Amino acid sequence: MNATTGFEQAGGPFWDPRVTANIHAAGAVLWRASAGGAIEIALVHRPKYADWSLPKGKLDPGETPILAAVREVREETGLESRLGRYLGHVTYPIPGHRKLKRVDYWAAEVVGGEFTANSEVDLLTWHPLDRVMDQLSYPMDRQVVRAFTRLPARTDTLLLVRHAKAGRRDRYNGPDDDQRPLDRDGEVQARALVPNLLAFGASEVYSADPLRCVQTVAPLADKLGVEIGMEPLFSESGYAEHPGEAGERLRALVSDSAIRVVCSQGKVIPDLLKGLAERDGLALPSARNRKGSVWVLSFAGQRLVAADHLDRSLSAYVAPS
């Protein structure tokens, strides 16, 4: 295996299938709009390495890349952020060790906080898009920023969730399968979704009417203190009768003032997304759409411009070796 960098970006994979990372990290292209409306990107200076880079850091045990990205931004910059598009990952060797590090990156908008120098980062500077490349110390960071600049910085996010585990349909003894509840594993998945969906700024919650869908997003709704909006069109029966209306309803839920979460079913989501993507000319990434997984959908206006799949481990898609 050579020492070149593996890079994967939304919309087209660029990876070396021989590369298997044994250290995992996450970071962000942290951005804000200036007073004049121009997009600026934050770079951090680490005195230990005398470099300028994007904020990033290693995952804590049991932590998802999503949560690590938000935490590392907070710890290195003092700023609170809201994740958006997945920008891909870089894989590179650690000097002096027989180890490879993988870093997953997201676009992240600043939503609060203030920079304070700390033990890892002594300076933070903001740069417009036309000057940020010259300030970065590493080519790999430039690759990530290029992925960021391929689409508008500000997009509207919709989070589409497949319901969590609810046991097998053929083993459910109830009279109505729509009343089949989550099993214990599903309840764990539902709770684990909460902080990860909040990392994207989740603020409103909607669900197809089967009980297992409602129960999947109930912990999030409880955390937010909001009611769950019922959406029968996103159930298997509702979608089968009115697929066109379901597609239009999903598009209507896209908002520039709220991050909405929608829970649906396995026989609905792939076809629903296929219709949206074909209409807007977007190629969807390969995904198994397993229970408890999430699609992060990014819209520019009403046009779907990115669709990132988070497997049920809530990790960004990893190319098979």
Side-chain angles (χ1 to χ4, degrees):
M1 180 182 67
N2 60 34
T4 58
T5 300
F7 181 65
E8 177 189 352
Q9 66 181 40
F14 298 90
W15 62 74
D16 182 344
R18 298 166 296 178
V19 173
T20 301
N22 45 22
I23 298 175
H24 293 269
V29 173
L30 184 64
W31 67 274
R32 71 180 185 185
S34 69
I39 300 301
E40 298 177 329
I41 293 177
L43 301 184
V44 296
H45 180 263
R46 301 180 299 172
K48 178 179 179 181
Y49 302 104
D51 62 7
W52 287 95
S53 64
L54 302 172
K56 64 181 181 298
K58 291 190 293 185
L59 274 62
D60 286 340
E63 189 176 40
T64 67
I66 297 165
L67 296 180
V70 174
R71 176 183 55 77
E72 285 292 337
V73 165
R74 182 188 308 114
E75 290 180 358
E76 291 196 354
T77 72
L79 300 173
E80 297 296 331
S81 62
R82 178 176 61 227
L83 300 187
R85 292 185 289 125
Y86 178 62
L87 300 176
H89 74 264
V90 297
T91 306
Y92 56 92
I94 304 299
H97 299 273
R98 296 176 60 85
K99 293 182 178 180
L100 290 169
K101 177 183 282 188
R102 168 181 168 134
V103 189
D104 288 281
Y105 286 95
W106 278 264
E109 182 179 8
V110 174
V111 295
E114 184 176 348
F115 173 71
T116 303
N118 54 75
S119 60
E120 293 186 63
V121 173
D122 61 348
L123 296 169
L124 180 148
T125 56
W126 291 95
H127 302 274
L129 292 177
D130 60 354
R131 294 208 294 266
V132 68
M133 293 295 190
D134 293 337
Q135 305 301 317
L136 285 163
S137 298
Y138 304 113
M140 290 176 293
D141 283 356
R142 295 188 193 104
Q143 288 179 309
V144 177
V145 172
R146 287 190 190 100
F148 173 81
T149 60
R150 288 189 179 101
L151 291 172
R154 178 168 283 111
T155 54
D156 301 324
T157 300
L158 186 72
L159 301 165
L160 183 58
V161 180
R162 184 182 177 188
H163 71 74
K165 294 182 179 179
R168 290 176 51 172
R169 183 176 306 203
D170 59 3
R171 294 181 179 175
Y172 176 62
N173 296 322
D176 182 358
D177 187 64
D178 279 354
Q179 295 304 307
R180 176 158 48 99
L182 297 183
D183 59 20
R184 287 187 179 181
D185 289 340
E187 291 173 352
V188 171
Q189 285 181 310
R191 290 193 295 270
L193 281 168
V194 174
N196 289 278
L197 295 174
L198 290 175
F200 291 94
S203 59
E204 297 182 10
V205 185
Y206 297 81
S207 177
D209 44 2
L211 178 61
R212 53 194 176 275
C213 294
V214 176
Q215 289 181 332
T216 297
V217 290
L220 174 64
D222 289 344
K223 179 71 174 179
L224 292 170
V226 300
E227 297 292 327
I228 299 174
M230 303 308 298
E231 296 288 342
L233 285 172
F234 301 135
S235 68
E236 290 180 357
S237 58
Y239 184 77
E241 294 179 9
H242 305 286
E245 290 182 27
E248 291 305 313
R249 177 55 182 157
L250 188 68
R251 200 178 290 271
L253 285 171
V254 178
S255 170
D256 61 2
S257 60
I259 307 297
R260 290 169 172 162
V261 177
V262 179
C263 188
S264 184
Q265 297 184 270
K267 292 183 179 180
V268 175
I269 292 173
D271 195 63
L272 182 62
L273 286 181
K274 181 181 177 182
L276 291 178
E278 287 180 348
R279 173 173 163 176
D280 293 338
L282 180 70
L284 294 173
S286 175
R288 294 179 63 183
N289 288 297
R290 297 193 291 184
K291 293 175 182 176
S293 65
V294 180
W295 282 93
V296 182
L297 306 178
S298 300
F299 292 81
Q302 286 294 299
R303 179 171 173 260
L304 180 65
V305 295
D308 309 317
H309 185 251
L310 306 173
D311 202 0
R312 62 187 178 193
S313 64
L314 297 176
S315 296
Y317 175 74
V318 180
S321 59

